[in-house]
């Protein structure tokens, strides 16, 4: 699914109106009917519905929905925010239709004194401002959104919570934004829906299809996309009958240090469950017996040090390299990482302590090979590029970093973002809060390495690994619950995750 900016969505709307063709008011009716269907399914008919409508198209949607709900015997009231100017276009059409119908009480809000008393059990439908808003709320608008937030009512926002911007909220005042329990957005999610600081404003959000023109959707370019099953499934390679272990690559994992061998074990199990033909794990000498017992399928390469990674084996036999989980940041390890990067490996994934070392030696970023995959969590990324006050700013940092160093950055989170050197960004749709547990990132590194060792393109590796990792987490949580989920459960569900692509 594409994610368009708010200005691009307006362009898609216009294209639909011109080329379907359909009138603006009929397109608004189509969108409103989708919301009506949702409301009927989720809101009992005995509930009172209070609509807050603004002067723009979002308010026009609210007016249309109120009329359609009244036709279905719901008790509806509309409070129209009055800025002293008349509605126009499709919004005016719907205002006139509402008046002609005569079933809905319509009042104007010119001051705080006009705000209604909200009785228990009332549902508020927020149609004050849509995604085209570009300045923070003030004056009467701010007072109305504050009133909604203090009402204690269930709040359903149309398209976007009023006051929230579609993309960049770095200069917005989020305390003035409507806090919705449900957000019903049209055709595409807004980019701001994917940022953690907006979770409490959006509540549960759903995308409602409104039949925008498929030609516009497919042809209009955008840098932002959502990963989904339909997109990922064709990218999974089919194994041929005469394949052998050499067909699926030989991965080298450099992981673990004294006290952190568990990271190496988790990443190794994930790597083998990801389908690589061979795995060699390079780790401190005393950890070899641990690895051979915990993951007998892995080949072990012992570092001369008993404590840490200090040198790497001959790289000629390996298809891909993964480095970072649990290696620490001691001087000898830093030196060895630098020397490894200077060999310019063509297929490498860096995680955890490998990234922490780079954040301390930022001039070494220039040693990163083209299309290297970096998998930081937000704090690790902050160490690499500096702090960001909000997710939009951090996303710009991520895009800039990928472009500058020609690398792939997998910034982990609820909607993990994957940025590519060309500026393209994909957001993940799988995973759950149960995966917020120690070792989950090590498992992702192992899976990423496994796919990188196989004949997958770099871009497909990043997207497929992130999606599969989250899908395995969802499958595990469905069996044992989110609270009990641990990182070791994830590789055990890779098989079922892969099988979903064969169904």
């Amino acid at each position: 699914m594409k994610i368009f900016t708010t200005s691009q969505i307006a362009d898609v709307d216009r294209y639909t109106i011109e080329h379907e063709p359909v009138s603006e008011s009929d397109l608004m009716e189509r969108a409103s009917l989708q919301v009506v269907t949702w409301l009927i399914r989720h809101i009992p008919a005995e509930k009172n519905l209070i609509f807050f409508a603004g002067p723009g198209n979002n308010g026009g949607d609210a007016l249309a929905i109120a009329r359609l709900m009244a036709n279905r015997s719901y008790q509806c009231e509309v409070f129209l925010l009055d800025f002293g100017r008349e509605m126009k276009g499709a919004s005016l059409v719907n205002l006139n239709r509402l008046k002609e119908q005569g079933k809905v009480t319509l009042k104007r809000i010119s001051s705080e004194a006009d705000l209604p008393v909200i009785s228990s059990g009332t549902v508020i439908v927020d149609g004050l401002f849509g995604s085209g808003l570009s300045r923070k709320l003030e004056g009467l608008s701010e007072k109305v959104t504050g009133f909604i937030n203090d009402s204690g009512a269930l709040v359903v926002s149309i398209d976007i919570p009023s006051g929230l911007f579609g993309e960049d909220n770095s200069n917005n005042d989020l305390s003035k934004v409507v806090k919705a329990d449900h957000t019903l957005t049209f055709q595409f999610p807004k980019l701001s829906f994917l940022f953690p600081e907006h979770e409490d404003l959006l509540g549960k959000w759903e995308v409602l299809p409104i039949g925008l023109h498929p030609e516009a959707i497919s042809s209009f370019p955008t840098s932002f996309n959502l990963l989904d099953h339909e997109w990922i499934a064709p990218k999974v390679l089919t194994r041929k009958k005469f394949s052998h272990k050499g067909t699926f690559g030989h991965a080298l994992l450099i992981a673990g240090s004294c006290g952190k061998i568990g990271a190496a074990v988790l990443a190794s199990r994930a790597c083998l469950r990801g389908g690589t033909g061979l795995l060699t794990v390079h780790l401190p000498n005393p950890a070899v017996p641990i690895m051979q017992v915990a993951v007998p399928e892995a080949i072990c390469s012992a570092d001369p040090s008993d404590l840490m990674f200090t040198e790497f084996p001959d790289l000629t036999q390996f298809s891909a390299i993964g480095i970072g989980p649990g290696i620490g940041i001691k001087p000898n390890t830093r030196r060895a990482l630098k020397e490894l990067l200077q060999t310019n490996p063509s297929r490498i994934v860096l995680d955890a302590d490998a990234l922490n070392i780079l954040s301390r030696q930022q001039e070494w970023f220039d040693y990163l090979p083209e299309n290297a995959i970096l998998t930081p969590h937000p704090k690790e990324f902050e160490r690499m590029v500096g702090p960001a006050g909000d997710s939009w700013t951090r996303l710009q940092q991520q895009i800039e970093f990928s472009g500058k160093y020609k690398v792939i950055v997998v910034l982990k989170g609820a909607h993990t973002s994957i940025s590519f050197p060309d500026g393209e960004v994909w957001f993940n749709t799988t995973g759950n809060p149960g995966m917020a547990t120690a070792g989950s990132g090590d498992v992702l590194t192992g899976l990423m390495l496994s796919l990188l060792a196989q004949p997958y393109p770099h871009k497909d590796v990043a997207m497929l690994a992130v999606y599969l990792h989250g899908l395995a987490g969802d499958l595990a949580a469905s069996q044992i619950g989110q609270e009990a989920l641990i990182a070791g459960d994830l590789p055990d569900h890779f098989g079922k995750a892969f099988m979903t692509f064969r169904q």
Side-chain angles (χ1 to χ4, degrees):
M1 182 184 292
K2 290 184 174 182
I3 305 174
F4 290 111
T5 63
T6 51
S7 61
Q8 289 175 314
I9 292 172
D11 291 339
V12 176
D13 284 347
R14 280 192 292 272
Y15 187 98
T16 301
I17 290 168
E18 293 171 6
H19 292 82
E20 187 167 334
V22 62
S23 69
E24 183 185 13
S25 59
D26 285 344
L27 185 60
M28 187 174 287
E29 190 85 355
R30 186 188 299 174
S32 299
L33 281 166
Q34 288 291 331
V35 177
V36 167
T37 299
W38 188 95
L39 289 171
I40 291 171
R41 288 175 178 168
H42 294 86
I43 307 298
E46 59 269 19
K47 295 283 187 181
N48 293 328
L49 300 181
I50 291 184
F51 294 78
F52 286 90
N57 282 348
N58 199 245
D61 292 330
L63 295 170
I65 296 164
R67 168 175 50 80
L68 293 166
M69 293 300 290
N71 279 339
R72 289 156 176 82
S73 301
Y74 280 76
Q75 186 68 36
C76 301
E77 291 182 87
V78 171
F79 290 83
L80 183 60
L81 198 57
D82 188 355
F83 290 119
R85 60 179 185 269
E86 289 300 316
M87 284 182 155
K88 57 184 180 179
S91 298
L92 178 59
V93 169
N94 275 298
L95 177 61
N96 291 332
R97 285 176 178 173
L98 188 75
K99 290 177 178 178
E100 290 168 6
Q101 180 201 48
K103 293 183 178 180
V104 178
T105 303
L106 176 64
K107 299 178 182 178
R108 292 183 180 268
I109 301 175
S110 302
S111 69
E112 274 191 278
D114 299 323
L115 290 169
V117 175
I118 305 295
S119 59
S120 177
T122 295
V123 175
I124 290 177
V125 180
D126 161 36
L128 289 169
F129 303 102
S131 57
L133 188 71
S134 59
R135 60 181 180 179
K136 56 188 175 184
L137 301 179
E138 56 186 18
L140 182 59
S141 302
E142 177 188 351
K143 294 183 187 304
V144 175
T145 59
F147 171 81
I148 292 173
N149 289 339
D150 293 338
S151 68
L154 181 80
V155 178
V156 179
S157 285
I158 303 169
D159 201 33
I160 193 170
S162 291
L164 187 65
F165 306 155
E167 293 86 41
D168 180 5
N169 284 269
S170 57
N171 293 315
N172 199 1
D173 185 348
L174 298 182
S175 68
K176 299 177 181 179
V177 176
V178 165
K179 294 179 180 177
D181 296 287
H182 298 275
T183 299
L184 308 178
T185 197
F186 297 133
Q187 198 74 49
F188 320 99
K190 311 301 182 283
L191 198 59
S192 58
F193 288 13
L194 307 177
F195 299 153
E197 61 265 37
H198 303 147
E199 179 181 9
D200 291 340
L201 302 174
L202 293 156
K204 296 179 180 178
W205 58 269
E206 296 182 38
V207 178
L208 304 181
I210 60 171
L212 294 181
H213 204 292
E215 185 175 306
I217 295 172
S218 63
S219 62
F220 282 24
T222 177
S223 298
F224 305 111
N225 300 273
L226 279 179
L227 290 175
D228 59 25
H229 210 79
E230 183 179 356
W231 172 261
I232 286 292
K235 297 185 178 299
V236 180
L237 298 178
T238 300
R239 298 196 164 204
K240 296 182 179 180
K241 178 179 179 180
F242 292 100
S243 300
H244 53 85
K245 62 186 177 184
T247 306
F248 304 110
H250 189 168
L252 171 64
L253 174 65
I254 300 172
S257 60
C258 182
K260 297 180 180 178
I261 304 304
V265 171
L266 286 167
S268 297
R269 291 186 59 234
C271 186
L272 287 162
R273 288 290 189 188
T276 190
L278 291 161
L279 168 65
T280 292
V281 189
H282 183 84
L283 66 177
N285 199 2
V288 170
I290 298 172
M291 183 61 67
Q292 290 186 326
V293 171
V295 190
E297 300 89 350
I299 304 165
C300 289
S301 167
D303 195 277
S305 170
D306 288 347
L307 301 176
M308 69 194 79
F309 164 55
T310 62
E311 64 178 53
F312 49 87
D314 178 16
L315 302 178
T316 56
Q317 61 185 311
F318 301 114
S319 313
I321 303 166
I323 181 168
I327 62 173
I329 57 173
K330 298 291 186 182
N332 283 346
T333 299
R334 296 203 298 268
R335 172 191 50 77
L337 174 62
K338 178 184 179 183
E339 292 172 354
L340 176 66
L341 292 176
Q342 288 175 325
T343 69
N344 196 35
S346 62
R347 298 173 78 83
I348 186 170
V349 54
L350 300 101
D351 182 36
D353 285 330
L355 302 177
N356 290 329
I357 291 171
L358 288 174
S359 69
R360 290 170 173 242
Q361 308 279 167
Q362 297 198 5
E363 65 275 15
W364 294 357
F365 287 145
D366 291 326
Y367 298 140
L368 289 169
E370 187 171 345
N371 285 320
I373 302 175
L374 285 64
T375 60
H377 59 57
K379 201 64 182 178
E380 289 166 344
F381 189 67
E382 182 178 302
R383 296 187 195 112
M384 292 164 56
V385 302
D390 62 280
S391 296
W392 169 260
T393 303
R394 186 165 60 238
L395 178 61
Q396 304 315 302
Q397 291 175 329
Q398 181 183 353
I399 294 169
E400 181 182 356
F401 189 94
S402 283
K404 180 177 181 180
Y405 296 106
K406 295 182 172 57
V407 296
I408 299 167
V409 177
V410 176
L411 184 54
K412 294 178 284 195
H415 290 287
T416 292
S417 55
I418 309 167
S419 57
F420 296 98
D422 62 0
E424 195 172 85
V425 181
W426 290 75
F427 293 90
N428 192 34
T429 55
T430 58
N432 62 82
M435 298 173 69
T437 184
S440 183
D442 302 325
V443 171
L444 176 61
T445 300
L447 177 58
M448 195 86 67
L449 171 61
S450 181
L451 299 175
L452 199 62
Q454 299 173 59
Y456 284 99
H458 288 82
K459 185 174 182 178
D460 290 0
V461 166
M463 293 193 291
L464 183 56
V466 168
Y467 188 88
L468 274 168
H469 181 253
L471 180 56
D474 291 338
L475 292 168
S478 70
Q479 292 185 8
I480 62 175
Q482 294 182 9
E483 291 79 7
L485 196 155
I486 58 175
D489 296 322
L490 300 176
D492 293 339
H493 287 81
F494 284 175
K496 290 181 179 179
F498 275 111
M499 288 172 64
T500 64
F501 299 120
R502 308 299 183 200
Q503 294 170 356

